[in-house]
Amino acid sequence: MAKDKPWSGRFTESTDSTVESFSASVDLDRRLYAYDIAGSIAHAKMLAHVNVLTLKECGAIVKGLEAIRSEIEAGQFAWSAELEDVHMNIEARLIDRIGEVGKKLHTGRSRNDQVATDLRLYLRDAIDAVRAAIAGVQHLLLEMAEREAETLVPGFTHMQVAQPITFGHHMLAWFEMLARDADRLQDCRGRVNIMPLGAAALAGTSYPIDREYTAKLLDFDAPAENSLDAVADRDFAIEFVGAAAILMMHLSRFCEEIVLWTSPAFGFVELGDAFCTGSSIMPQKKNPDVAELIRGKSARVNGHVTALLTLMKAQPLAYNRDNQEDKQPVFDSVDTMLASLSVFAGLIGSMQLNREIMLDAARQGFPTATDLADYLVRKGVAFRDAHETVGRIVRRGLDTGRDLSQMKLDELRAFSSVIGDDVYEVLTVEGSVKARDHVGGTAPAQVRKAIARARKRLPPVPGT
Ligand code: ARG
């Protein structure tokens, strides 16, 4: 005889013990308890609203569910793998607590629309939490950009010195990357915030339900249009994890730069001791492990995108149990993002800049060669010819071990007679950044304007 399962009526044998542990998801999905209870309370209230439950029955169910929430929060709830998942654990406990009336909660509902609803409610909160964490890092970046609006560093392409930039400008590039991440998540939130409840197993239900009513109680924007799609769709989870992977890719790129900058070969930056670790063999080492770990953790979120796409690609409509496997990638993406953002904020907050070394590096590698070419163009030379002439001047600098700004006027004029003594204004790295004085440019004045615009785009720091 089968026993102990809410669905055991048509079964004659008990579940094999290997199947029991194989199919149980409660260890993971118990994390959804608050959303499961909120969804059940709204469902019960809707059933009372349309007279499928009496007000008294609804009241008992709501009270019972609230008591269960307190039990879980007090750590007094006995989760059981035999009851498979968070949904059946809570329902069984409800019946336990309030008796027969508890058996009426599942009227007009299935675990299929229930779990899809829970996951959407969970993700809605997760998106809000991640967006707040992103904004926290963005505020820090703006502070750094403000402080370092005039700090000069080499700008690289191909990791070769390209043109001088301001460190503030560099921080604002990171800011933009995070701004897109926050936007992407917010855009995804719109598609997350659609309510599956009412789809029941797949076809809807024969009770006179009011889905708008439930949606309103749960703050959903609307009920899902199609009952099959409502239970089968996990696009919102894929999108969310996709946005998470892009965010983690950004953090990984920032961390890669931090790893380079802290290498003694660069020496641009020193991280706080609290955010570094030592070596068990080399006493001199101070390693940027935190940055490396964030870079490493981006790999697992990339994996989660692949896992979810693969999970969904061969599923016929409507619900299939495969979907239970969506939890681990989703939960781990949330955890990884929140942990990474939090430690990243600490990491960049601990950064000490070696401004002298940065300035010195900004002067190496003929970083003002483009400025000299632009100067020649302003004096009437065609850009291609100017490029060629400056190339030859650089060659001479390489052969004689000097930067452009260290060459004598006569020496420069030997390459082009249009060069005058005003050329030295453009040959300094300070002059070079100052000249890039347009929207999106690296000039300190533009960095300050960009910061002012960025501040307006950001939500205020929570708690201020
Ligand atoms: N634990 C299941 C999940 O996460 C709940 C839905 C189960 N539905 C079913 N028909 N077996 O997807």
Side-chain angles (χ1 to χ4, degrees):
M1 255 306 274
K3 52 177 173 43
D4 290 344
K5 303 275 193 231
W7 40 255
S8 57
R10 61 96 70 216
F11 285 77
T12 49
E13 283 176 33
S14 301
T15 315
D16 188 277
S17 63
T18 58
V19 172
E20 197 129 76
S21 59
F22 186 73
S23 58
S25 58
V26 67
D27 279 350
L28 264 186
D29 63 24
R30 54 193 272 190
R31 196 169 155 161
L32 296 172
Y33 80 88
Y35 305 104
D36 196 69
I37 289 171
S40 290
I41 288 176
H43 179 66
K45 285 183 174 168
M46 182 278 290
L47 290 179
H49 175 70
V50 298
N51 300 317
V52 171
L53 289 182
T54 66
L55 278 177
K56 200 166 160 231
E57 287 168 335
C58 171
I61 287 172
V62 171
K63 233 174 112 202
L65 287 167
E66 279 167 352
I68 291 170
R69 180 162 50 206
S70 306
E71 272 179 23
I72 296 172
E73 275 157 15
Q76 286 160 357
F77 190 92
W79 297 99
S80 146
E82 273 173 46
L83 288 165
E84 281 184 30
D85 55 26
V86 61
H87 324 293
M88 294 208 293
N89 267 270
I90 291 175
E91 193 188 341
R93 179 71 186 126
L94 181 70
I95 296 165
D96 226 37
R97 281 190 73 108
I98 68 172
E100 288 299 301
V101 61
K103 295 181 180 167
K104 296 192 171 187
L105 169 64
H106 213 52
T107 311
R109 184 176 78 166
S110 151
R111 275 185 296 154
N112 298 352
D113 58 345
Q114 193 179 352
V115 68
T117 301
D118 292 4
L119 195 61
R120 284 169 181 270
L121 289 171
Y122 164 82
L123 272 181
R124 202 170 70 178
D125 277 0
I127 287 172
D128 295 345
V130 174
R131 289 191 77 228
I134 292 174
V137 173
Q138 286 181 297
H139 277 288
L140 265 179
L141 290 173
L142 291 185
E143 275 169 34
M144 290 166 75
E146 195 147 58
R147 216 169 38 236
E148 312 300 339
E150 318 240 355
T151 305
L152 290 160
V153 270
F156 299 96
T157 58
H158 316 271
M159 267 323 277
Q160 308 294 314
V161 170
Q163 290 168 348
I165 54 169
T166 51
F167 195 71
H169 194 53
H170 198 114
M171 293 299 99
L172 291 181
W174 287 4
F175 177 95
E176 288 304 318
M177 288 150 84
L178 288 178
R180 289 195 295 276
D181 292 322
D183 277 1
R184 240 185 304 276
L185 286 165
Q186 188 61 11
D187 187 56
C188 168
R189 194 186 192 281
R191 282 177 293 278
V192 165
N193 205 27
I194 299 293
M195 187 191 74
L197 276 181
L202 76 164
T205 172
S206 56
Y207 297 96
I209 57 171
D210 182 343
R211 298 183 70 209
E212 266 82 18
Y213 187 87
T214 323
K216 212 160 170 191
L217 288 181
L218 291 170
D219 249 329
F220 277 113
D221 293 334
E225 275 292 335
N226 180 285
S227 66
L228 296 179
D229 184 48
V231 292
D233 169 43
R234 293 293 181 275
D235 293 0
F236 63 95
I238 301 174
E239 268 187 60
F240 172 81
V241 175
I246 298 177
L247 165 72
M248 287 304 298
M249 175 272 285
H250 287 153
L251 294 186
S252 177
R253 294 184 73 177
F254 304 167
C255 285
E256 171 71 9
E257 296 200 314
I258 292 172
V259 169
L260 288 171
W261 294 341
T262 54
S263 162
F266 270 76
F268 287 6
V269 160
E270 167 126 19
L271 297 171
D273 283 359
F275 288 88
C276 291
T277 55
S279 158
S280 56
I281 171 168
M282 297 166 284
Q284 86 284 11
K285 294 276 286 208
K286 177 172 166 183
N287 294 329
D289 295 40
V290 170
E292 292 166 303
L293 270 171
I294 294 174
R295 195 175 60 187
K297 281 177 193 291
S298 70
R300 50 204 275 177
V301 182
N302 290 353
H304 296 330
V305 180
T306 308
L308 285 182
L309 285 169
T310 313
L311 181 69
M312 299 310 295
K313 74 179 272 291
Q315 286 196 45
L317 293 178
Y319 176 87
N320 301 282
R321 189 66 178 269
D322 316 39
N323 283 358
Q324 183 166 292
E325 290 293 315
D326 62 5
K327 311 288 179 315
Q328 195 270 345
V330 167
F331 292 162
D332 189 65
S333 297
V334 173
D335 293 344
T336 303
M337 264 190 296
L338 287 175
S340 300
L341 283 164
S342 154
V343 76
F344 183 75
L347 186 70
I348 60 173
S350 84
M351 261 175 19
Q352 296 289 330
L353 308 188
N354 296 322
R355 295 185 186 81
E356 296 284 296
I357 294 179
M358 286 171 151
L359 177 61
D360 222 44
R363 289 188 173 130
Q364 309 299 316
F366 304 96
T368 56
T370 315
D371 297 83
L372 180 54
D374 291 343
Y375 170 90
L376 294 178
V377 168
R378 283 198 296 278
K379 301 271 174 181
V381 181
F383 183 77
R384 273 290 150 238
D385 293 336
H387 188 288
E388 166 77 23
T389 303
V390 176
R392 279 192 270 114
I393 301 177
V394 166
R395 184 71 254 162
R396 178 155 179 91
L398 285 168
D399 292 344
T400 58
R402 284 168 312 157
D403 182 53
L404 303 181
S405 61
Q406 294 169 314
M407 293 188 191
K408 295 257 153 30
L409 184 59
D410 285 350
E411 202 177 358
L412 291 170
R413 283 177 62 84
F415 290 92
S416 172
S417 59
V418 303
I419 297 177
D421 61 4
D422 56 346
V423 73
Y424 293 100
E425 285 159 34
V426 308
L427 292 185
T428 64
V429 286
E430 291 80 2
S432 172
V433 295
K434 203 163 160 235
R436 283 156 174 76
D437 191 16
H438 52 76
V439 172
T442 194
Q446 288 298 335
V447 169
R448 294 202 174 94
K449 285 182 190 166
I451 294 167
R453 289 195 300 272
R455 286 230 153 89
K456 290 199 194 122
R457 285 155 63 195
L458 267 187
V461 192
T464 60

